[in-house]
Amino acid sequence: MKREIIFLEPAFKQVIWGGNKLGADFGYDIPGDNTGECWAISAHPKGDCKVISGQYAGMNLSRLWDKHRELFGNAKGDRYPLLIKIIDAKQDLSIQVHPDDKYAAEHENGSLGKTECWYVLDCDENAAVVIGHNARDKAELEKMIRGKHWGEFIREIPVHKGDFFQIEPGCLHAIKGGTLILETQQNSDITYRVYDYDRLQNGKPRELHIEQSIEVIKAPFEAAQCSRSVLRQDNMMIEKLVDCEYYSVEKIDVTGKALAEQKHSFLNVSMIGGAGRINGMEICKGKNFIIPARYGTMELDGDMSMIVSYTEEMEEKYDKTDNKNDAGKERKALSGRYMSSHGYCR
């Protein structure tokens, strides 16, 4: 029997910097006009998505991972590895940094670190993000932070719709106001705030993490290196955004009918535009789902865009058993050979 696609109910977070675009643009039933985050695909304790259809309806994703690991290609690990968010920054997020796995395991009760990446869904004219800093070394970094020399310290760059950024642990960063982003990250919620503009929440400043930040921010700043590449096949364009140790992320645009094979431990899919069908089931902007291991052929039909992420655990197994040169098949994996490169990862 063919395995079912796992459709999920998002979890939402109200925050000081949030807005209402998750409701206005995505049609979500948000809890208020300060909703900053949609945890679209998450098994984290602070936002554990529920399955909303099929035989596993009502089950949290964390439990599905624990009890039915076969759906995820028997992938290893004590927790679902990735967390997918849609972030509506009406105002600036704090200037912040995330630790790596080693630091988080030692200082944050065994948590994962946090490598993440951003795909810019939309943004205001003249919008910007913070990525990196201008300190020449650790000594200057500490001096700038303790002296609150934010204008000299922070590296701000312009941002445009369709931009993509890889954010490594130890990279100072912030999403700024007027930006709507889809974030793919490790399953972690460890964030160290360096600066929060001296704003108040409930009459008090939000907690800062100056000592931890100084320890984990890398100096001097080095931008993440990656390239974007494109594969065109039939009525589908697959743009590889990044491959890293923790995830691969692609943007897929479908215009018409297309076939593809699911050849990964699992695929996280977030619909970011348009509408259509997958194997006869209607999907549209705002839907989030997981295509399980060994699902087989995906029949796509419509005019739609999606962000897809996966891990590489299952790739080697398929490479050993599949005949890649079967000319009689038009079906191709979503991680095929990319024929041309363009763009950037900033």
Side-chain angles (χ1 to χ4, degrees):
M1 180 181 293
K2 193 177 184 70
R3 288 179 172 171
E4 299 175 346
I5 293 176
I6 303 163
F7 287 89
L8 298 170
E9 180 181 9
F12 298 98
K13 306 293 180 181
Q14 292 179 277
V15 287
I16 192 173
W17 43 262
N20 63 5
K21 288 185 178 179
L22 293 171
D25 291 7
F26 278 83
Y28 292 133
D29 184 15
I30 59 175
D33 286 340
N34 62 336
T35 304
E37 296 185 349
C38 164
W39 290 28
I41 302 176
S42 170
H44 194 278
K46 294 183 180 179
D48 200 351
C49 293
K50 284 187 178 181
V51 180
I52 57 175
S53 63
Q55 63 179 309
Y56 304 111
M59 186 178 291
N60 290 103
L61 180 55
S62 62
R63 182 170 174 78
L64 193 66
W65 172 261
D66 289 339
K67 299 299 183 181
H68 295 282
R69 195 65 64 90
E70 72 279 2
L71 298 175
F72 309 98
N74 294 312
K76 299 176 182 178
D78 63 351
R79 70 203 83 183
Y80 195 75
L82 301 180
L83 197 167
I84 315 303
K85 297 178 181 177
I86 304 173
I87 298 174
D88 172 21
K90 183 177 181 180
Q91 300 178 29
D92 296 350
L93 275 69
S94 63
I95 309 297
Q96 59 190 244
V97 66
H98 306 302
D100 60 18
D101 286 345
K102 182 179 179 181
Y103 188 96
E106 181 179 350
H107 298 277
E108 299 293 345
N109 299 314
S111 172
L112 294 177
K114 191 173 175 184
T115 301
E116 66 184 45
C117 61
W118 304 339
Y119 182 82
V120 180
L121 299 169
D122 202 2
C123 60
D124 293 346
E125 187 177 359
N126 299 320
V129 293
V130 171
I131 297 182
H133 59 81
N134 297 312
R136 292 169 293 185
D137 52 33
K138 271 285 194 180
E140 187 173 46
L141 180 145
E142 181 170 1
K143 182 179 179 180
M144 285 181 165
I145 290 176
R146 295 197 188 280
K148 301 182 179 182
H149 302 304
W150 307 122
E152 301 172 50
F153 180 56
I154 293 166
R155 181 177 179 265
E156 191 172 295
I157 58 176
V159 66
H160 307 90
K161 182 177 179 178
D163 280 354
F164 179 80
F165 303 91
Q166 172 78 349
I167 309 295
E168 300 286 348
C171 174
L172 189 79
H173 64 277
I175 300 170
K176 293 181 69 66
T179 311
L180 187 67
I181 278 175
L182 187 138
E183 178 176 287
T184 303
Q185 59 160 90
Q186 288 180 267
N187 186 4
S188 172
D189 195 38
I190 304 300
T191 296
Y192 299 142
R193 293 193 194 103
V194 185
Y195 177 53
D196 196 40
Y197 318 103
D198 300 318
R199 61 187 167 189
L200 303 179
Q201 184 174 30
N202 299 321
K204 298 179 180 179
R206 294 202 296 170
E207 182 182 7
L208 300 179
H209 310 89
I210 299 300
E211 302 306 322
Q212 297 98 319
S213 297
I214 291 171
E215 287 183 350
V216 304
I217 296 173
K218 295 180 180 179
F221 166 68
E222 293 184 9
Q225 299 298 313
C226 58
S227 61
R228 298 169 70 162
S229 54
V230 173
L231 170 68
R232 291 179 173 86
Q233 57 185 50
D234 303 326
N235 296 315
M236 184 163 55
M237 184 176 76
I238 307 169
E239 183 179 10
K240 177 65 70 67
L241 298 173
V242 68
D243 279 318
C244 73
E245 178 182 357
Y246 300 103
Y247 48 70
S248 296
V249 182
E250 299 172 352
K251 179 177 182 285
I252 299 175
D253 296 298
V254 177
T255 52
K257 294 184 178 180
L259 297 175
E261 291 287 332
Q262 205 305 57
K263 293 193 173 184
H264 302 277
S265 300
F266 55 89
L267 287 178
N268 296 313
V269 183
S270 290
M271 296 289 295
I272 62 170
R277 291 178 176 82
I278 179 168
N279 289 25
M281 291 175 287
E282 293 188 1
I283 51 177
C284 60
K285 181 179 179 179
K287 296 294 185 183
N288 303 282
F289 51 92
I290 298 168
I291 302 177
R294 304 196 182 280
Y295 180 81
T297 304
M298 295 174 287
E299 299 176 359
L300 303 169
D301 183 10
D303 187 357
M304 51 191 175
S305 298
M306 61 195 79
I307 299 291
V308 173
S309 58
Y310 53 87
T311 63
E312 292 289 355
E313 289 190 56
M314 213 164 181
E315 279 299 289
E316 185 177 352
K317 297 176 186 178
Y318 274 103
D319 287 349
K320 289 178 179 178
T321 58
D322 285 6
N323 181 0
K324 292 183 177 180
N325 298 316
D326 187 352
K329 292 184 179 180
E330 294 182 1
R331 302 165 187 172
K332 301 173 185 178
L334 293 184
S335 56
R337 295 181 181 272
Y338 291 79
M339 305 305 295
S340 63
S341 294
H342 78 284
Y344 45 82
C345 172
R346 296 194 299 191

